[in-house]
Amino acid sequence: MYVVPTAAIVPAAGRGERLGPGAPKALRELAGEPLLVHAVRSLWSAGCVDLVVVAAPPGSVAAVEATLLTAVEDLRLVVVEGGGTRQASVAAGLSAVPGDVEIVLVHDAARALVPAEVVVRVVDAVRAGAGAVVPVLPVTDTIKQVDADRVVATVDRSSLRSVQTPQGFARAVLESAHSAGHSAGGHDATDDASLVEAMGGEVVVVEGSTEAFKVTRPLDLALAEAVLRSRPNAP
Ligand code: CTP
Ligand code: MG
Protein backbone atom coordinates (compact mmCIF):
# COMPACT_ATOMS: atom_id res chain seq x y z
CA MET A 1 0.00 0.00 0.00
CA TYR A 2 1.28 3.46 -0.86
CA VAL A 3 2.10 5.88 1.92
CA VAL A 4 1.11 9.09 0.14
CA PRO A 5 -2.68 9.53 0.40
CA THR A 6 -4.20 9.24 -3.06
CA ALA A 7 -7.75 10.04 -4.16
CA ALA A 8 -9.43 9.37 -7.50
CA ILE A 9 -12.09 11.74 -8.81
CA VAL A 10 -14.54 10.03 -11.19
CA PRO A 11 -16.54 12.44 -13.37
CA ALA A 12 -19.76 10.51 -14.05
CA ALA A 13 -22.35 13.24 -14.61
CA GLY A 14 -22.45 13.26 -18.42
CA ARG A 15 -25.63 12.45 -20.30
CA GLY A 16 -24.08 10.11 -22.85
CA GLU A 17 -25.67 11.74 -25.86
CA ARG A 18 -23.49 9.87 -28.34
CA LEU A 19 -24.63 6.58 -26.80
CA GLY A 20 -28.24 7.43 -27.70
CA PRO A 21 -31.38 7.93 -25.61
CA GLY A 22 -31.53 6.44 -22.12
CA ALA A 23 -30.13 6.89 -18.63
CA PRO A 24 -26.96 8.96 -18.03
CA LYS A 25 -24.04 6.99 -19.53
CA ALA A 26 -22.34 6.14 -16.23
CA LEU A 27 -25.55 4.45 -15.05
CA ARG A 28 -26.09 2.36 -18.20
CA GLU A 29 -25.48 -1.32 -17.67
CA LEU A 30 -22.61 -3.46 -18.84
CA ALA A 31 -22.91 -7.16 -17.96
CA GLY A 32 -25.69 -6.36 -15.47
CA GLU A 33 -23.94 -3.54 -13.58
CA PRO A 34 -23.68 0.21 -14.22
CA LEU A 35 -20.57 1.37 -16.11
CA LEU A 36 -19.73 3.44 -13.01
CA VAL A 37 -19.54 0.32 -10.84
CA HIS A 38 -17.07 -1.25 -13.28
CA ALA A 39 -15.01 1.96 -13.38
CA VAL A 40 -14.81 2.35 -9.60
CA ARG A 41 -14.04 -1.37 -9.14
CA SER A 42 -11.23 -1.09 -11.71
CA LEU A 43 -9.67 1.84 -9.85
CA TRP A 44 -10.12 0.33 -6.39
CA SER A 45 -8.72 -3.05 -7.36
CA ALA A 46 -5.43 -1.42 -8.39
CA GLY A 47 -4.70 -1.11 -4.64
CA CYS A 48 -3.08 2.34 -4.77
CA VAL A 49 -6.16 4.56 -4.34
CA ASP A 50 -7.33 5.42 -0.81
CA LEU A 51 -10.54 7.29 -1.61
CA VAL A 52 -12.87 7.57 -4.61
CA VAL A 53 -14.81 10.80 -5.17
CA VAL A 54 -17.62 10.41 -7.70
CA ALA A 55 -19.29 13.38 -9.42
CA ALA A 56 -22.73 11.85 -10.01
CA PRO A 57 -25.53 12.81 -12.39
CA PRO A 58 -27.89 15.43 -10.91
CA GLY A 59 -30.43 13.92 -8.50
CA SER A 60 -28.67 10.56 -8.18
CA VAL A 61 -26.16 11.18 -5.37
CA ALA A 62 -27.82 8.95 -2.74
CA ALA A 63 -28.61 6.14 -5.19
CA VAL A 64 -25.06 6.15 -6.62
CA GLU A 65 -23.58 6.04 -3.13
CA ALA A 66 -25.75 3.07 -2.11
CA THR A 67 -25.04 1.17 -5.34
CA LEU A 68 -21.28 1.60 -5.15
CA LEU A 69 -20.99 0.75 -1.46
CA THR A 70 -22.94 -2.46 -2.08
CA ALA A 71 -20.99 -3.45 -5.19
CA VAL A 72 -17.39 -2.68 -4.21
CA GLU A 73 -16.03 -4.22 -1.03
CA ASP A 74 -14.24 -1.95 1.50
CA LEU A 75 -14.67 1.08 -0.76
CA ARG A 76 -13.95 4.51 0.75
CA LEU A 77 -16.29 6.82 -1.10
CA VAL A 78 -17.57 10.38 -1.33
CA VAL A 79 -20.31 11.24 -3.84
CA VAL A 80 -21.05 14.81 -4.94
CA GLU A 81 -23.35 16.16 -7.61
CA GLY A 82 -21.59 16.81 -10.93
CA GLY A 83 -21.84 19.96 -13.04
CA GLY A 84 -22.90 20.98 -16.53
CA THR A 85 -19.50 20.22 -18.11
CA ARG A 86 -16.84 17.60 -17.44
CA GLN A 87 -14.56 20.36 -16.12
CA ALA A 88 -17.26 21.52 -13.69
CA SER A 89 -17.83 17.94 -12.52
CA VAL A 90 -14.10 17.46 -11.83
CA ALA A 91 -14.01 20.80 -9.99
CA ALA A 92 -16.95 19.68 -7.82
CA GLY A 93 -15.09 16.45 -7.01
CA LEU A 94 -11.87 18.30 -6.29
CA SER A 95 -13.54 20.54 -3.72
CA ALA A 96 -14.61 17.39 -1.82
CA VAL A 97 -11.10 15.87 -1.64
CA PRO A 98 -9.91 15.87 2.01
CA GLY A 99 -6.97 18.10 2.96
CA ASP A 100 -4.45 15.31 3.61
CA VAL A 101 -4.63 13.91 0.05
CA GLU A 102 -1.47 14.65 -1.95
CA ILE A 103 -2.03 12.78 -5.21
CA VAL A 104 -5.24 13.13 -7.20
CA LEU A 105 -6.26 10.98 -10.16
CA VAL A 106 -9.08 11.93 -12.50
CA HIS A 107 -10.74 8.99 -14.23
CA ASP A 108 -13.68 8.97 -16.66
CA ALA A 109 -16.53 6.71 -15.53
CA ALA A 110 -16.84 5.88 -19.22
CA ARG A 111 -13.37 4.20 -19.21
CA ALA A 112 -14.92 1.44 -17.16
CA LEU A 113 -12.44 -1.34 -17.84
CA VAL A 114 -9.08 0.37 -17.28
CA PRO A 115 -6.58 -2.34 -16.24
CA ALA A 116 -4.94 -2.04 -12.81
CA GLU A 117 -1.46 -1.75 -14.31
CA VAL A 118 -2.37 1.53 -16.01
CA VAL A 119 -3.59 2.99 -12.69
CA VAL A 120 -0.39 1.84 -11.01
CA ARG A 121 1.83 3.30 -13.77
CA VAL A 122 0.14 6.70 -13.42
CA VAL A 123 0.37 6.76 -9.61
CA ASP A 124 4.00 5.59 -9.70
CA ALA A 125 4.94 8.42 -12.08
CA VAL A 126 3.36 11.06 -9.81
CA ARG A 127 5.04 9.49 -6.80
CA ALA A 128 8.34 9.70 -8.69
CA GLY A 129 7.91 13.48 -8.93
CA ALA A 130 5.82 14.28 -12.01
CA GLY A 131 3.28 17.06 -11.50
CA ALA A 132 0.95 15.71 -14.18
CA VAL A 133 0.79 12.30 -15.89
CA VAL A 134 -1.33 10.96 -18.74
CA PRO A 135 -1.60 7.41 -20.13
CA VAL A 136 -1.31 7.38 -23.92
CA LEU A 137 -1.41 5.11 -26.95
CA PRO A 138 0.00 5.66 -30.44
CA VAL A 139 -2.54 6.81 -33.03
CA THR A 140 -3.38 3.94 -35.38
CA ASP A 141 -5.53 5.65 -38.02
CA THR A 142 -4.02 7.91 -40.64
CA ILE A 143 -5.02 11.43 -39.60
CA LYS A 144 -5.97 14.10 -42.14
CA GLN A 145 -6.61 17.78 -41.69
CA VAL A 146 -9.67 18.96 -43.62
CA ASP A 147 -11.32 22.21 -44.64
CA ALA A 148 -15.05 21.56 -45.15
CA ASP A 149 -15.16 18.56 -47.54
CA ARG A 150 -11.56 18.76 -48.79
CA VAL A 151 -8.38 17.27 -47.39
CA VAL A 152 -5.77 19.93 -46.63
CA ALA A 153 -2.95 17.71 -45.35
CA THR A 154 -2.02 14.35 -43.96
CA VAL A 155 -0.65 14.82 -40.47
CA ASP A 156 2.55 13.03 -39.44
CA ARG A 157 1.17 10.73 -36.79
CA SER A 158 4.51 9.55 -35.40
CA SER A 159 4.45 12.21 -32.68
CA LEU A 160 0.69 12.00 -32.01
CA ARG A 161 -0.84 10.06 -29.10
CA SER A 162 -4.37 9.26 -27.99
CA VAL A 163 -4.83 10.25 -24.37
CA GLN A 164 -6.71 8.19 -21.79
CA THR A 165 -7.48 8.33 -18.10
CA PRO A 166 -6.75 8.02 -15.21
CA GLN A 167 -4.66 11.16 -15.40
CA GLY A 168 -2.60 11.74 -12.27
CA PHE A 169 -1.55 14.97 -10.57
CA ALA A 170 0.22 16.38 -7.59
CA ARG A 171 -2.79 17.83 -5.82
CA ALA A 172 -1.48 21.43 -5.88
CA VAL A 173 -0.86 21.24 -9.63
CA LEU A 174 -4.42 20.08 -10.37
CA GLU A 175 -5.91 22.73 -8.08
CA SER A 176 -3.89 25.55 -9.69
CA ALA A 177 -4.72 24.28 -13.18
CA HIS A 178 -8.45 24.21 -12.47
CA SER A 179 -8.53 27.63 -10.85
CA ALA A 180 -6.40 29.13 -13.68
CA GLY A 181 -8.69 27.49 -16.27
CA HIS A 182 -11.74 28.85 -14.50
CA SER A 183 -10.30 32.39 -14.25
CA ALA A 184 -9.33 32.30 -17.94
CA GLY A 185 -13.01 31.76 -18.73
CA GLY A 186 -12.69 28.22 -20.13
CA HIS A 187 -15.26 25.79 -18.77
CA ASP A 188 -15.20 22.86 -21.13
CA ALA A 189 -11.74 21.25 -21.16
CA THR A 190 -12.13 17.62 -22.25
CA ASP A 191 -9.25 16.53 -20.03
CA ASP A 192 -7.40 17.88 -17.01
CA ALA A 193 -3.85 17.72 -18.36
CA SER A 194 -4.78 20.34 -20.97
CA LEU A 195 -5.46 22.78 -18.11
CA VAL A 196 -1.94 22.08 -16.80
CA GLU A 197 -0.50 22.61 -20.30
CA ALA A 198 -2.40 25.91 -20.60
CA MET A 199 -0.62 27.26 -17.52
CA GLY A 200 2.76 26.15 -18.87
CA GLY A 201 3.09 23.02 -16.74
CA GLU A 202 4.87 19.85 -17.84
CA VAL A 203 2.83 16.72 -18.53
CA VAL A 204 4.54 13.32 -18.54
CA VAL A 205 3.27 10.34 -20.55
CA VAL A 206 3.10 6.67 -19.54
CA GLU A 207 1.82 3.71 -21.52
CA GLY A 208 -1.97 3.34 -21.65
CA SER A 209 -3.97 0.28 -22.68
CA THR A 210 -6.41 -0.56 -25.45
CA GLU A 211 -8.72 -1.86 -22.68
CA ALA A 212 -8.90 1.66 -21.20
CA PHE A 213 -10.98 2.84 -24.18
CA LYS A 214 -13.87 5.22 -23.49
CA VAL A 215 -17.41 3.92 -23.97
CA THR A 216 -18.74 6.64 -26.26
CA ARG A 217 -20.91 5.09 -29.00
CA PRO A 218 -23.20 2.02 -28.96
CA LEU A 219 -20.56 -0.23 -30.55
CA ASP A 220 -18.25 0.49 -27.60
CA LEU A 221 -20.70 -1.28 -25.26
CA ALA A 222 -20.43 -4.44 -27.34
CA LEU A 223 -16.64 -4.18 -27.25
CA ALA A 224 -16.71 -3.70 -23.48
CA GLU A 225 -18.86 -6.85 -23.06
CA ALA A 226 -16.33 -8.78 -25.16
CA VAL A 227 -13.39 -7.47 -23.09
CA LEU A 228 -15.12 -8.51 -19.86
CA ARG A 229 -15.85 -11.99 -21.24
CA SER A 230 -12.20 -12.38 -22.26
CA ARG A 231 -10.91 -11.82 -18.72
CA PRO A 232 -9.83 -14.88 -16.73
CA ASN A 233 -12.37 -14.41 -13.92
CA ALA A 234 -15.30 -13.85 -16.31
CA PRO A 235 -18.53 -15.59 -15.20
N1 CTP B 1 -18.89 14.08 -17.51
C1 CTP B 1 -19.28 14.66 -16.29
N2 CTP B 1 -20.04 15.80 -16.30
C2 CTP B 1 -20.44 16.35 -17.45
C3 CTP B 1 -20.04 15.78 -18.70
C4 CTP B 1 -19.25 14.64 -18.69
O1 CTP B 1 -18.93 14.15 -15.23
N3 CTP B 1 -21.20 17.42 -17.40
C5 CTP B 1 -18.12 12.81 -17.48
C6 CTP B 1 -18.87 11.67 -18.17
O2 CTP B 1 -19.84 11.10 -17.27
C7 CTP B 1 -17.78 10.73 -18.57
C8 CTP B 1 -16.55 11.64 -18.74
O3 CTP B 1 -16.91 12.93 -18.20
O4 CTP B 1 -17.48 9.76 -17.59
C9 CTP B 1 -16.13 11.76 -20.19
O5 CTP B 1 -17.15 12.42 -20.92
P1 CTP B 1 -17.90 11.83 -22.20
O6 CTP B 1 -17.33 10.54 -22.63
O7 CTP B 1 -18.03 12.94 -23.19
O8 CTP B 1 -19.35 11.46 -21.57
P2 CTP B 1 -20.73 12.18 -21.80
O9 CTP B 1 -20.55 13.66 -21.75
O10 CTP B 1 -21.68 11.55 -20.85
O11 CTP B 1 -21.10 11.70 -23.28
P3 CTP B 1 -21.61 12.60 -24.51
O12 CTP B 1 -20.50 13.64 -24.74
O13 CTP B 1 -21.76 11.63 -25.63
O14 CTP B 1 -22.91 13.22 -24.07
MG1 MG C 1 -19.30 14.65 -23.24
Side-chain angles (χ1 to χ4, degrees):
M1 181 54 92
Y2 291 108
V3 181
V4 181
T6 301
I9 298 169
V10 181
R15 285 200 293 272
E17 278 165 8
R18 287 168 288 180
L19 206 50
K25 181 161 69 179
L27 306 182
R28 305 263 191 116
E29 292 205 346
L30 166 64
E33 291 184 301
L35 275 177
L36 178 60
V37 167
H38 291 280
V40 170
R41 189 182 284 132
S42 301
L43 281 171
W44 197 247
S45 67
C48 53
V49 171
D50 303 299
L51 174 72
V52 173
V53 179
V54 171
S60 69
V61 169
V64 160
E65 188 172 42
T67 302
L68 284 170
L69 289 175
T70 305
V72 185
E73 211 177 322
D74 298 328
L75 180 64
R76 285 195 56 216
L77 177 70
V78 173
V79 184
V80 298
E81 189 159 291
T85 62
R86 183 186 182 282
Q87 189 178 333
S89 293
V90 174
L94 194 50
S95 63
V97 171
D100 65 328
V101 169
E102 291 176 37
I103 295 177
V104 179
L105 308 185
V106 182
H107 180 61
D108 293 329
R111 295 185 190 272
L113 302 183
V114 61
E117 66 256 27
V118 176
V119 183
V120 170
R121 275 199 284 275
V122 170
V123 171
D124 280 350
V126 183
R127 284 178 53 79
V133 179
V134 295
V136 302
L137 286 180
V139 173
T140 52
D141 287 327
T142 296
I143 306 288
K144 294 196 191 290
Q145 190 186 340
V146 299
D147 180 7
D149 63 352
R150 293 284 185 288
V151 170
V152 174
T154 300
V155 180
D156 174 13
R157 71 181 179 203
S158 62
S159 67
L160 298 181
R161 299 290 181 272
S162 292
V163 176
Q164 304 181 321
T165 72
Q167 300 186 353
F169 304 89
R171 184 209 183 109
V173 170
L174 185 62
E175 284 180 341
S176 317
H178 266 266
S179 64
H182 189 77
S183 310
H187 300 289
D188 205 8
T190 54
D191 81 343
D192 300 279
S194 59
L195 297 173
V196 175
E197 293 155 42
M199 65 171 192
E202 188 176 68
V203 179
V204 166
V205 301
V206 297
E207 191 184 355
S209 164
T210 53
E211 295 191 7
F213 68 95
K214 184 158 69 74
V215 172
T216 304
R217 300 183 187 88
L219 192 59
D220 298 323
L221 275 176
L223 178 59
E225 300 262 2
V227 169
L228 269 183
R229 276 199 305 275
S230 75
R231 290 184 172 174
N233 55 355

